[in-house]
Amino acid sequence: MHPSFAHRITKYNPADRDEHGHYIGAEDTESDHGPVEAAYLEAIAAFAQESGIDLLEIREPQVAGFVGFGLETSVDGHGLAGLFPSDLTGYYDGAEVSVPVALELVRAMLRDQGAWCRLEQRNTFTVHVGWDQYVYVGSDQPCEAAIAHTKADLGVLDSAAQHLGPLATAQGAQASERSPSQVPSEMDAFGVHGETREDRSESA
């Protein structure tokens, strides 16, 4: 089971998409390390608060090796310095972190600093960071206030809430994998158009 409501948080203007949903604007695919990045984090915090989430579990934690996950150069400590000891004790599958720590993990992922993981609370809340500054938030609550705040005040919500019906849930619809492989077709339930890492130049 996955959360019933899914949202795609993105800085890309939906008006700058072609008829296939591919982004064709000039927005950079890297984090600005500034106000836009802060808007992403504030949006996630708003959804977590309205969903009643205080703790999130780390799932499938990874750190970059010789090849990084994204366009930016990985940093020493993989962006985890100050969050976990240097030996990464506490950064393991199933570890619980507070929402503030989870937001710092998202910041590191947005900056491609070398760490990546899923952040989940069983079947009630998920945060998944995809390629090219796309963040997917799932909740078992409609989060109407968070949607309004994210769209009107922050301007980083791609679309209104989408409700995943029984079919989409049964198919295992979930947020975009941080993988260079093709995004499965069932991702369309989240408003995610199937594209590969190589499609970056035309469909960010």
Side-chain angles (χ1 to χ4, degrees), residues 14-84:
D16 293 330
R17 294 186 181 277
D18 63 17
E19 64 274 17
H20 304 294
H22 293 164
Y23 179 71
I24 55 175
E27 185 71 55
D28 198 345
T29 56
E30 298 180 15
S31 174
D32 70 340
H33 295 224
V36 175
E37 178 183 276
Y40 274 72
L41 301 182
E42 185 175 340
I44 295 168
F47 279 100
Q49 181 177 11
E50 193 165 353
S51 300
I53 299 298
D54 297 316
L55 296 172
L56 287 166
E57 294 181 352
I58 294 174
R59 292 299 182 188
E60 302 179 28
Q62 303 172 35
V63 292
F66 293 106
V67 179
F69 292 137
L71 291 177
E72 298 192 49
T73 303
S74 298
V75 300
D76 290 341
H78 313 289
L80 303 177
L83 301 177
F84 303 97

Side-chain angles (χ1 to χ4, degrees), residues 139-157:
S139 176
D140 65 345
Q141 302 296 318
C143 297
E144 295 178 358
I147 291 171
H149 176 55
T150 303
K151 292 186 71 174
D153 302 328
L154 303 178
V156 291
L157 189 66

Side-chain angles (χ1 to χ4, degrees), residues 44-156:
I44 295 168
F47 279 100
Q49 181 177 11
E50 193 165 353
S51 300
I53 299 298
D54 297 316
L55 296 172
L56 287 166
E57 294 181 352
I58 294 174
R59 292 299 182 188
E60 302 179 28
Q62 303 172 35
V63 292
F66 293 106
V67 179
F69 292 137
L71 291 177
E72 298 192 49
T73 303
S74 298
V75 300
D76 290 341
H78 313 289
L80 303 177
L83 301 177
F84 303 97
S86 58
D87 62 358
L88 299 186
T89 302
Y91 183 64
Y92 60 88
D93 189 72
E96 285 192 330
V97 296
S98 66
V99 170
V101 171
L103 293 177
E104 290 306 312
L105 286 170
V106 172
R107 187 194 305 276
M109 288 184 269
L110 288 172
R111 295 182 178 185
D112 290 328
Q113 290 185 324
W116 184 86
C117 65
R118 298 178 183 276
L119 295 162
E120 303 180 347
Q121 185 52 264
R122 299 187 183 275
N123 299 322
T124 62
F125 193 80
T126 63
V127 179
H128 298 165
V129 179
W131 294 120
D132 300 330
Q133 305 291 295
Y134 285 110
V135 176
Y136 305 94
V137 176
S139 176
D140 65 345
Q141 302 296 318
C143 297
E144 295 178 358
I147 291 171
H149 176 55
T150 303
K151 292 186 71 174
D153 302 328
L154 303 178
V156 291

